């Protein structure tokens, strides 16, 4: 596995060899053996905090390495490191609190008809979790990222399939996590890393892997999802695959602030060279002078935007081929043409436009994500045309509306109806904002209907831990045989619901 600089295309160093099937088997078995060591919640929380500390301490080495492998820039990656360490600390707080165990106790009621037994429910870790690292977030969605942090918080050891775009960063982060485990008296094998395409396939098929988390392409994610379902014992596969993230601009919104909306759209779609999973990829723009001014502002900003490298040469080629294929469709115009910069590696952003009334069956490609700095502006003539376009869209992580001031104050007006129409399409609805940027908070949901994700869960926020747990009920179990979490007297001081009451 070679570390490659996307700015030059040159190899930096050979990091390691691809992991063999025997190596995958060894990693999974070692992680499985480490499972009991994670049972103590206090140790688990200490480990997560120690991991955050180790990553912070090693940041001066990790961040430059990540930049050299991703070209995302050290300022952006310093922020991503802070997000990653903050996420680990937040999950440590969740582990301390214990609410995620979802303890429910219903004492026996012999007077009920029929008599009710004593029932005590909580959630237990599934086992070894396979994590497939993302290319566009070498920290926050990779070896030390949200899937890993939430799985460890649940009490599950992790085997990460590193992304080939940042093998050196992956090894540095894995070393930090393993050092943190050792500091807390845990086996270092609670976190293992494997490399290579074949290793990724072998990992999802391993009989001791109990669940998987993935962030990446529809093609790659769907292949792994199908492999997880085809196992003799299928496992949950929580995949984040592809997202168009539609935006609807109302006539009132563009009339009130056309230029500001245009500037915001251009900034959002080019952030990180358009390599965010929540990049706005399709925008419904009302016909008329205000809508035209909005698109003119977008075009001006895009022409003034400096070219940027994509994460690797394959993605650069796919982006330009995808733009060309869309621009060649009937009725589609390139308001700004994407292309290579003079150095032959960086890319320039693009803007495509088409009339809603011209969208036919041959335009399905416009309704699919194109990874990179491009968006498709669909001009619509009225509410019915906008609704017809929305009816054709697949699931997304986000959906956004920009409203006029009066629309936002009408409880039963068009804005409310529009949000109701968008709700089935996405996991996060935004009003007068832009989807790039995902706050790590307890209320956050980062998921959506397929192909955005393959399940209804989130990969960001406190409830991400639920993916790696399963409920177990103890019926009529004598007190000495109950786990402490379920005993009367609540010896661990957990949030619980007892006989219908929270306490």
């Amino acid at each position: 596995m070679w570390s490659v600089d996307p700015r030059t295309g040159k190899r930096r160093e050979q990091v390691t060899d691809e992991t063999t099937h025997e190596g995958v088997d060894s990693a999974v078995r070692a992680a499985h053996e480490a499972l009991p060591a994670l049972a103590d919640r206090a140790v688990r929380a200490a480990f997560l905090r120690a991991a955050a500390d180790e990553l912070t301490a090693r940041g001066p080495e990790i961040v430059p390495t990540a930049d050299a492998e991703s070209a995302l820039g050290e300022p952006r990656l310093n922020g991503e490191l802070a997000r990653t360490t903050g996420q680990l600390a937040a999950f440590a707080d969740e582990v301390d609190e214990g609410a995620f165990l979802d303890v429910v106790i219903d004492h026996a009621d012999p007077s009920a008809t029929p008599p009710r037994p004593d029932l005590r429910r909580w959630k237990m870790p599934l086992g070894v979790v396979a994590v497939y690292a993302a290319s566009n977030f070498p920290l926050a969605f990779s070896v030390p990222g949200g899937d890993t942090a939430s799985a460890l918080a649940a009490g599950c050891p992790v085997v990460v399939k590193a992304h080939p775009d940042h093998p050196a960063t992956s090894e540095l982060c894995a070393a930090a996590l393993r050092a943190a485990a050792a500091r807390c008296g845990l086996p270092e094998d609670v976190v293992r890393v494997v490399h290579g395409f074949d290793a990724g396939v072998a990992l999802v098929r391993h009989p001791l892997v109990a669940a998987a988390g993935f962030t990446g392409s529809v093609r790659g994610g769907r292949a792994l999802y199908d492999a997880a379902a085809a196992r003799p014992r299928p496992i949950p596969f929580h995949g984040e695959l592809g997202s168009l993230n539609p935006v609807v601009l109302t006539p009132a919104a563009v009339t009130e602030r056309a230029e500001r909306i245009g500037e915001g759209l251009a900034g959002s779609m080019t952030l990180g060279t358009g390599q965010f999973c929540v990049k706005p990829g399709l925008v419904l723009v009302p016909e008329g002078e205000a809508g035209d001014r909005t698109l003119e502002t977008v075009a001006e900003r895009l022409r003034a935007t400096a070219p940027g490298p994509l994460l690797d040469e394959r993605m650069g080629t796919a982006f330009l081929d995808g733009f060309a294929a869309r621009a060649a469709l009937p009725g589609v115009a390139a308001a700004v043409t994407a292309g290579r910069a003079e150095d032959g590696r960086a890319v320039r952003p693009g803007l495509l436009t088409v009339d809603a009334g011209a969208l036919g069956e041959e335009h399905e490609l416009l309704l699919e994500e194109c990874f990179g700095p491009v968006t498709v502006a669909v001009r619509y003539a009225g509410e019915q045309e906008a609704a017809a376009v929305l009816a054709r869209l697949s699931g997304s992580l986000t959906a956004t509306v920009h409203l006029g001031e009066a629309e936002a104050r009408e409880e039963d007006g068009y804005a409310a109806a529009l949000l109701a129409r968008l709700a089935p399409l996405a996991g996060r609805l935004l009003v007068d904002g832009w989807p790039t940027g995902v706050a790590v908070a307890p209320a956050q949901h980062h998921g959506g209907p397929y192909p955005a994700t393959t399940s209804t869960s989130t990969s960001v926020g406190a409830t991400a831990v639920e993916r790696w747990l399963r409920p177990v009920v103890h019926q009529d179990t004598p007190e000495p045989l109950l786990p402490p979490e379920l005993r009367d007297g609540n010896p661990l001081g957990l949030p619980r619901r007892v006989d219908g009451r929270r306490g």
Side-chain angles (χ1 to χ4, degrees):
M1 300 302 298
W2 285 86
S3 174
V4 177
D5 186 340
R7 293 182 176 96
T8 64
K10 295 181 179 179
R11 290 178 169 181
R12 299 176 60 249
E13 60 174 320
Q14 184 176 359
V15 177
T16 185
D17 293 326
E18 291 193 13
T19 309
T20 63
H21 281 222
E22 292 78 12
V24 172
D25 179 64
S26 175
V28 174
R29 291 186 182 280
H32 180 72
E33 290 296 319
L35 175 62
L38 287 171
D40 188 317
R41 286 191 302 115
V43 174
R44 223 151 72 213
F47 167 41
L48 292 168
R49 293 189 177 98
D53 291 343
E54 285 286 342
L55 288 166
T56 299
R58 302 180 189 212
E61 182 181 10
I62 291 172
V63 168
T65 302
D67 177 49
E69 292 188 313
S70 69
L72 291 172
E74 291 194 18
R76 144 77 194 270
L77 290 164
N78 277 312
E80 188 178 330
L81 178 61
R83 168 184 169 162
T84 303
T85 57
Q87 191 165 240
L88 286 161
F91 276 116
D93 292 341
E94 293 295 323
V95 173
D96 280 339
E97 182 190 38
F100 69 95
L101 296 173
D102 197 20
V103 176
V104 181
I105 297 175
D106 290 318
H107 288 103
D109 184 358
S111 65
T113 306
R116 189 182 70 204
D118 185 273
L119 300 172
R120 303 178 185 226
R121 179 183 185 271
W122 70 319
K123 291 182 178 177
M124 297 179 61
L126 288 173
V128 177
V129 170
V131 171
Y132 292 81
S135 61
N136 56 340
F137 281 85
L139 304 175
F141 280 86
S142 294
V143 170
D147 285 350
T148 296
S150 59
L152 292 171
C156 297
V158 173
V159 179
V160 184
K161 189 275 180 184
H163 197 279
D165 280 352
H166 37 78
T169 305
S170 298
E171 287 295 313
L172 289 174
C173 291
L177 296 182
R178 289 167 65 85
R183 276 175 53 189
C184 297
L186 291 169
E188 292 185 357
D189 289 330
V190 293
V191 177
R192 292 291 297 264
V193 174
V194 299
H195 296 265
F197 176 84
D198 290 343
V201 176
L203 182 59
V204 79
R205 291 175 174 167
H206 197 286
L208 291 180
V209 167
F214 171 91
T215 301
S217 69
V218 174
R219 180 180 178 184
R222 185 54 192 260
L224 291 171
Y225 174 76
D226 290 345
R231 290 168 40 129
R233 293 182 179 179
I235 60 171
F237 184 90
H238 300 285
E240 181 189 322
L241 311 187
S243 185
L244 192 61
N245 305 303
V247 177
V248 180
L249 311 179
T250 69
V254 295
T255 297
E256 293 174 5
R257 53 187 192 282
E259 290 78 10
R260 192 168 71 192
I261 290 174
E263 290 173 358
L265 173 57
S268 183
M269 62 170 281
T270 58
L271 188 65
T273 323
Q275 297 172 111
F276 279 63
C277 52
V278 287
K279 178 206 73 177
L282 182 139
V283 185
L284 283 161
V285 183
E287 292 182 353
E289 187 269 336
D292 291 343
R293 279 193 291 117
T294 303
L295 292 179
E296 288 167 5
T297 302
V298 176
E300 290 171 3
R301 284 289 303 272
L302 294 184
R303 295 187 189 103
T305 298
L310 295 185
L311 294 162
D312 60 37
E313 178 62 24
R314 176 182 57 83
M315 291 184 191
T317 299
F319 164 67
L320 294 174
D321 288 349
F323 182 91
R326 288 163 173 79
L329 294 172
V332 177
V336 179
T337 300
R340 293 274 187 194
E342 288 73 16
D343 66 2
R345 301 202 63 81
V347 298
R348 300 184 183 278
L351 172 65
L352 298 169
T353 62
V354 65
D355 291 337
L359 285 176
E361 293 183 2
E362 69 274 22
H363 291 91
E364 284 301 311
L365 192 59
L366 296 178
L367 310 182
E368 299 175 6
E369 179 186 21
C370 183
F371 193 73
V374 62
T375 198
V376 177
V378 180
R379 296 191 185 92
Y380 69 95
E383 294 179 14
Q384 289 186 342
E385 277 198 349
V389 175
L390 294 176
R392 295 179 59 179
L393 301 186
S394 298
S396 280
L397 295 168
T398 71
T400 301
V401 295
H402 280 259
L403 307 171
E405 290 187 11
E407 289 175 319
R409 296 193 298 267
E410 296 175 358
E411 184 175 346
D412 298 319
Y414 173 61
L418 183 56
L419 285 169
R421 184 173 288 117
L422 290 172
L425 295 178
R428 178 162 60 107
L429 304 178
L430 297 90
V431 177
D432 294 344
W434 298 104
T436 39
V438 182
V440 180
Q444 185 59 272
H445 183 82
H446 190 63
Y450 186 86
T453 50
T454 58
S455 67
T456 59
S457 63
T458 178
S459 61
V460 179
T463 52
V465 72
E466 295 175 0
R467 297 173 295 169
W468 321 120
L469 299 164
R470 67 181 182 89
V472 175
V473 172
H474 290 255
Q475 180 171 327
D476 291 333
T477 304
E479 178 93 359
L481 302 182
L482 286 169
E485 289 82 357
L486 300 181
R487 292 178 185 174
D488 289 333
N490 197 6
L492 300 182
L494 295 171
R496 310 196 303 184
R497 193 181 76 187
V498 181
D499 294 332
R501 294 185 179 181
R502 293 284 180 185

